[in-house]
Amino acid sequence: MKLAYHGSTSMKANLETDILSASKAGFKALEIKDHKIDDYLKDHNLHDLKLLLKKNGIEPTSINSLEFIAFQGEKYIRVKDYCLKYSQISSEIGCSAMVVVPSPTPRTLAGKDILDYPWTQIVNEYVTVLGDLGNISKPYGVNLAFEFLGFGWCSVRTPRG
C-alpha cells in the first residue's frame, strides 16, 4: 500500500507545487486533479510532467475526476470525450486509474416530476455508462474507480445505493 497525497487537499496550489509538496512530505503517490493538469499543460507538455513526477519519486495513482457521468442525455458525448482525453493523458504519464463520480438523482421520469427515481433504472444507467467508459479507457490501460458520494442529492450514495 502507498500513501497518496490528494490534489484537492491543496485547493488552489498548482500541480508542480502538489508534486513537490507530496515528495517533501514523504508521500510516494499523488491523486492528480484534472484541472491542475490542464493548467500545467498550458506551459508544459506531458513529457515534462512525467519527468517531474519521476524526479520527485511520485507515482500518479489516479486522475480526479470525471464527474456526473450518468443521465446526461445529449451532453453524454462530453463525458466520453473527457474520458478519452484523460485516458490518453493517464497512459502517457503512467497513471493507471481515473476516478468517476455519479450524477445527481434525476427528478423527472418520462417528463413528469417524481420523488423517488427507480433504483433499477439508476443501476441500469450506471451499468451502461460504466461499460461505455470502460471501453474507452481500457485500451489505454486505465481503470475506472467509481467514487460514490454520500450527499442526499447523489444518485449513488453508498455501495448499495
Side-chain angles (χ1 to χ4, degrees):
M1 177 175 76
K2 290 184 183 177
L3 292 178
Y5 184 82
H6 192 312
S8 290
T9 305
S10 59
M11 296 294 234
K12 296 182 182 181
N14 63 32
L15 181 53
E16 188 169 3
T17 300
D18 283 354
I19 293 168
L20 297 173
S21 297
S23 180
K24 188 173 182 178
F27 289 96
K28 300 296 180 200
L30 175 66
E31 183 167 330
I32 304 173
K33 285 298 292 171
D34 54 358
H35 68 88
K36 292 183 180 189
I37 292 173
D38 291 339
D39 290 344
Y40 182 84
L41 293 176
K42 290 177 184 174
D43 299 318
H44 302 86
N45 59 46
L46 289 174
H47 182 71
D48 295 335
L49 177 54
K50 191 173 181 176
L51 288 176
L52 181 63
L53 289 161
K54 185 175 182 172
K55 176 182 172 186
N56 288 282
I58 296 294
E59 175 188 337
T61 58
S62 63
I63 304 292
N64 186 305
S65 65
L66 173 48
E67 298 177 354
F68 303 159
I69 62 171
F71 306 107
Q72 293 298 315
E74 293 176 5
K75 295 178 187 176
Y76 183 55
I77 189 71
R78 292 182 192 156
V79 172
K80 293 193 295 188
D81 289 345
Y82 177 105
C83 185
L84 177 60
K85 173 184 175 180
Y86 284 97
S87 292
Q88 292 168 334
I89 289 171
S90 294
S91 178
E92 190 70 28
I93 65 171
C95 181
S96 63
M98 180 177 6
V99 176
V100 293
V101 177
S103 302
T105 304
R107 297 293 175 215
T108 60
L109 183 61
K112 297 180 181 178
D113 291 340
I114 58 169
L115 295 177
D116 292 312
Y117 203 86
W119 178 243
T120 55
Q121 288 188 319
I122 290 173
V123 169
N124 290 339
E125 175 76 1
Y126 283 101
V127 166
T128 299
V129 168
L130 289 168
D132 287 348
L133 299 178
N135 288 334
I136 293 168
S137 67
K138 184 177 181 177
Y140 297 95
V142 177
N143 296 306
L144 302 179
F146 188 64
E147 179 180 8
F148 53 88
L149 302 176
F151 302 109
W153 53 262
C154 189
S155 56
V156 183
R157 294 181 294 280
T158 69
R160 292 189 174 180

